[in-house]
Amino acid sequence: MTALHSTLHDIYDEVARRNPGEVEFHQAVYEVLNSLGPVVEKHPDYVDSAVIRRLCEPERQIIFRVPWLDDTGTVQINRGFRVEFNSALGPFKGGLRFHPSVYLGIVKFLGYEQIFKNSLTGLPIGGGKGGSDFDPKGRSDGEIMRFCQSFMTELYRHLGEYTDVPAGDIGVGMREIGYLFGQYKRITNRYESGVFTGKGLTWGGSQVRTEATGYGTVFFVDEILRANGQSFDGKQVVVSGSGNVAIYAIEKVHELGGTVVACSDSSGYVLDEKGIDLDLLKEVKELHRGRIADYADVRGGATLVTSRSVWEVQCDIALPCATQNELTGDDAALLIGSGCQIVAEGANMPCTPEAVKCFEAAGVTFAPGKAANAGGVATSALEMQQNASRDSWTFEDTEARLSEIMRRIHDRCLSTADDYGQPGNYVAGANIAGFIRVADAMLALGLV
């Protein structure tokens, strides 16, 4: 880690002391504070008013027990979380993650990132996140429904379209959102469709929401390429993951003229030099909930690799779309050595600080997740707009709005980096632009 500006040392030390063991949260806070040195030099009132310290403390943290019955009639116990981090710009907005790795530190890191990501969209949404250490893998639909109903029986009292609006994340797709919203409607006796996003199209969902995070990441990279007089034509791309974000990133790369030659899951990666067969990947992952090995078994010429990193595959553009801290300093060295020009985070904080430092030193353009993967939450906000007006937009109209939002985020990052003496630095631009908008709103609202 590089040294923080002297006025921010105490803030970070206080965060580390007050939140022991929450290493992902510490990492996210440090990454933002590390960009704010030029800001506090120019605007010392952000320190004097304690707005930076306030931004590091959630408005509300909710932890609760989730008891449920499995298919054998055995009682299972999980832990549920919702961190309502900051509502200066609008209602808390952020996904729910169901995965065994979930604990308070993960949820706080995700919620903290969400503040600045949501700020960058320019839309009226605050930042929050939630989830559970429940693992939906291998569970029946009945078990998942009973878990979701128990989870919502506790959480519903903290939600509302003007209070806190969850969406999906890892382990929470349209099926889970349906069960959660169904229980919310049952308990509250209100069809308050704006209280969840990521809903099915027949009951209040938005076109493009499924595709939005992957599409948005690729739109952001397309803007980077345009800014340098290039395009996706002829570019070789590697994507980590093969879930929702990765699949639709692959789809949009192919539409724009690039070729994705590798993708992965927790069991390894598949190399397909002809280009990933998107229809087959969707069939394996979305229809059959299979593994990347199943793709390799069916696809002629594809190679399954289980013992090495997907980042060893030569590429022009890398899109980490799996999970936090998946791309290490060693992986960054592999990408740099192969001539990679652009790395854009489709997941939340998938690159370690060592990896980011390597990219910066090598002159590789790096787009942080709070900017590059903001398309998902941006389209969630568009879904909220449609719900509020009892309206529904076409796929083409919604995609055009998403593309425009990602263009504005890209341009805001570049112009802010220029304003603070760091031209071309997307990390600094994203952190500073996201921070200033929410900090100014907090100052306008008084001591809250």
Side-chain angles (χ1 to χ4, degrees), residues 123 201 204-209 378-402 405:
L123 300 169
L201 292 177
S206 172
Q207 299 276 5
V208 192
R209 179 60 189 90
T379 306
S380 281
L382 299 181
E383 183 175 332
M384 292 166 67
Q385 289 183 29
Q386 292 169 83
N387 293 158
S389 62
R390 301 293 192 268
D391 199 358
S392 181
W393 305 336
T394 66
F395 190 100
E396 293 74 18
D397 187 30
T398 310
E399 184 179 7
R401 294 180 191 227
L402 169 62
I405 289 169

Side-chain angles (χ1 to χ4, degrees), residues 40-307:
V40 298
E41 288 281 352
K42 193 173 182 179
H43 303 286
D45 53 307
Y46 288 136
V47 176
D48 298 339
S49 63
V51 72
I52 300 175
R53 288 176 58 211
R54 282 187 275 153
L55 260 172
C56 295
E57 185 68 26
E59 293 182 28
R60 191 173 296 111
Q61 302 179 65
I62 304 150
I63 305 176
F64 52 97
R65 181 180 62 200
V66 188
W68 57 283
L69 289 177
D70 67 19
D71 286 344
T72 70
T74 302
V75 174
Q76 302 289 338
I77 304 292
N78 286 98
R79 185 172 288 177
F81 304 90
R82 188 68 178 173
V83 173
E84 297 176 331
F85 223 118
N86 191 284
S87 60
L89 294 174
F92 305 105
K93 184 80 193 80
L96 298 170
R97 175 177 294 192
F98 293 169
H99 191 272
S101 67
V102 170
Y103 79 107
L104 185 59
I106 290 281
V107 178
K108 283 162 74 171
F109 128 63
L110 293 168
Y112 185 76
E113 286 278 294
Q114 200 77 42
I115 298 169
F116 307 102
K117 180 188 302 186
N118 294 1
S119 173
L120 281 170
T121 68
L123 300 169
I125 43 178
K129 207 74 175 186
S132 174
D133 57 2
F134 170 73
D135 189 356
K137 283 186 180 177
R139 294 294 182 182
S140 69
D141 284 352
E143 288 175 320
I144 291 172
M145 180 184 70
R146 290 191 291 275
F147 172 81
C148 289
Q149 289 175 337
S150 182
F151 183 91
M152 188 49 56
T153 298
E154 174 60 34
L155 188 60
Y156 86 94
R157 69 195 77 226
H158 303 288
L159 305 182
E161 61 181 320
Y162 299 110
T163 306
D164 188 349
V165 182
D169 194 79
I170 293 171
V172 179
M174 201 175 297
R175 172 184 57 179
E176 289 76 16
I177 292 294
Y179 295 148
L180 292 164
F181 178 65
Q183 186 73 351
Y184 179 87
K185 183 176 74 72
R186 181 184 186 189
I187 293 171
T188 64
N189 194 32
R190 296 195 302 270
Y191 203 104
E192 191 181 339
S193 59
V195 76
F196 276 92
T197 58
K199 301 182 295 296
L201 292 177
T202 57
W203 45 281
S206 172
Q207 299 276 5
V208 192
R209 179 60 189 90
T210 301
E211 299 86 353
T213 306
Y215 276 20
T217 300
V218 177
F219 285 146
F220 195 94
V221 174
D222 193 43
E223 292 298 327
I224 294 174
L225 290 167
R226 289 173 184 270
N228 291 278
Q230 301 180 56
S231 73
F232 267 103
D233 287 342
K235 294 291 190 297
Q236 188 157 295
V237 182
V238 168
V239 175
S240 69
S242 50
N244 185 67
V245 178
I247 285 172
Y248 291 101
I250 293 168
E251 181 169 281
K252 187 54 65 175
V253 167
H254 287 176
E255 285 182 16
L256 294 179
T259 303
V260 177
V261 295
C263 62
S264 65
D265 63 17
S266 58
S267 64
Y269 75 86
V270 63
L271 175 63
D272 191 341
E273 294 182 351
K274 295 181 292 185
I276 295 294
D277 184 324
L278 189 63
D279 290 338
L280 176 59
L281 183 64
K282 286 183 177 181
E283 180 181 343
V284 167
K285 286 294 189 175
E286 296 183 336
L287 185 61
H288 300 299
R289 298 181 184 272
R291 308 296 288 161
I292 203 71
D294 301 322
Y295 175 98
D297 287 342
V298 176
R299 174 74 162 166
T303 302
L304 177 68
V305 180
T306 59
S307 59

